């Protein structure tokens, strides 16, 4: 499902829908989910477990104006229902696998310092969840990936934030400086 999120000075709208206030707690929770790179619960219910492609437009210098509805003929393409081989986007890891990735962590954590959890979605479709201190550097995430999946040691890859999509090029930054505490990081092969 393709959804367009438009940010306005006085709120936001989905597709050409009604204006939603930033101050409404439900709407604030919706935007927080988007910022964390997660699909908001409202959209999960809408697509019933399907894929969501969320695009954004920044109109924060403008006030929301209700769009005029106009007739638009169908311009898409048809889809066959009941495909013999369904598309598998990714297989989520089980809670046991996630716990195992935390227990076998090659990252040393200083419990006297503030910590954060980072979820790493690997290019092979799997994911790792790891605790880091906020003072760990982006380079430590790269090292953790290579230690957890040695096959990536010889592979050229970049680390990218999910929302907004931004390549993490300066690996000397701390996780706090890079503003990636409690977030999802994507591994993309070059």
């Amino acid at each position: 499902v393709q959804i367009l999120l438009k940010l306005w000075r006085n709120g936001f709208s989905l597709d050409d829908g009604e204006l939603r206030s930033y101050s409404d707690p439900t709407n604030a929770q919706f935007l927080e989910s988007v910022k964390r790179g997660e699909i908001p619960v409202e959209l999960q219910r809408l697509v019933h477990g399907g894929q969501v492609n969320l695009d954004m437009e920044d109109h924060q210098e403008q006030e929301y104006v209700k769009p005029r509805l106009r007739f638009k003929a169908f311009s898409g393409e048809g889809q066959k229902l009941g495909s013999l081989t369904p598309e598998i986007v990714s297989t989520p890891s089980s809670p046991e696998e996630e716990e195992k990735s935390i227990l076998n962590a090659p990252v040393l954590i200083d419990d006297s310092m503030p910590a954060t959890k980072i979820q790493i979605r690997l290019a092979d479709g799997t994911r790792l969840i790891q605790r880091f201190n906020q003072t760990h550097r982006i380079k430590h995430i790269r090292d953790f990936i290579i230690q957890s999946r040695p096959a990536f040691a010889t592979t050229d890859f970049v680390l990218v934030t999910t929302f907004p999509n931004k390549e993490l090029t300066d690996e000397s930054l701390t996780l706090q400086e890079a503003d990636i505490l409690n977030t999802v990081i994507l591994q993309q092969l070059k």
Side-chain angles (χ1 to χ4, degrees):
V1 175
Q2 182 80 23
I3 296 177
L4 179 61
L5 172 65
K6 295 180 181 178
L7 301 173
W8 304 94
R9 180 181 299 147
N10 52 341
F12 69 94
S13 62
L14 294 177
D15 293 325
D16 286 331
E18 294 292 326
L19 179 70
R20 296 166 151 207
S21 170
Y22 290 129
S23 59
D24 183 321
T26 306
N27 296 337
Q29 187 178 18
F30 180 96
L31 287 176
E32 273 305 310
S33 293
V34 172
K35 285 180 185 174
R36 288 191 308 265
E38 300 171 356
I39 300 172
V41 176
E42 175 184 333
L43 298 181
Q44 288 176 358
R45 279 190 239 125
L46 177 73
V47 299
H48 307 292
Q51 259 188 309
V52 176
N53 187 12
L54 185 67
D55 291 328
M56 290 184 52
E57 286 183 5
D58 186 3
H59 299 277
Q60 291 181 337
E61 292 101 29
Q62 304 169 15
E63 291 284 333
Y64 172 80
V65 178
K66 187 173 181 174
R68 291 185 185 164
L69 296 178
R70 58 180 187 263
F71 176 76
K72 183 178 179 183
F74 178 74
S75 60
E77 58 184 52
Q79 299 290 323
K80 288 184 179 180
L81 297 176
S83 170
L84 295 176
T85 55
E87 177 186 349
I88 297 175
V89 177
S90 73
T91 20
S93 358
S94 67
E96 295 82 22
E97 288 175 23
E98 289 177 11
E99 195 60 35
K100 191 167 59 175
S101 78
I102 292 173
L103 294 175
N104 296 333
V107 176
L108 297 176
I109 305 294
D110 181 352
D111 289 325
S112 67
M113 303 285 288
T116 183
K117 267 190 188 174
I118 303 285
Q119 183 183 124
I120 306 158
R121 293 190 186 157
L122 300 175
D124 65 5
T126 60
R127 65 181 175 169
L128 300 170
I129 298 176
Q130 177 59 43
R131 278 186 67 224
F132 292 92
N133 287 117
Q134 294 179 8
T135 55
H136 274 107
R137 304 202 177 275
I138 295 171
K139 175 155 183 30
H140 293 119
I141 295 175
R142 177 179 290 279
D143 294 342
F144 170 71
I145 292 170
I146 292 170
Q147 289 174 3
S148 300
R149 300 289 194 278
F152 288 122
T154 58
T155 308
D156 197 16
F157 64 88
V158 294
L159 300 175
V160 180
T161 61
T162 53
F163 177 77
N165 283 6
K166 181 180 82 176
E167 188 175 326
L168 299 170
T169 53
D170 186 355
E171 294 190 357
S172 66
L173 290 176
T174 66
L175 305 185
Q176 189 168 19
E177 291 168 343
D179 195 24
I180 57 170
L181 303 178
N182 297 313
T183 59
V184 177
I185 301 297
L186 303 176
Q187 176 199 37
Q188 292 181 347
L189 301 179
K190 280 191 172 182

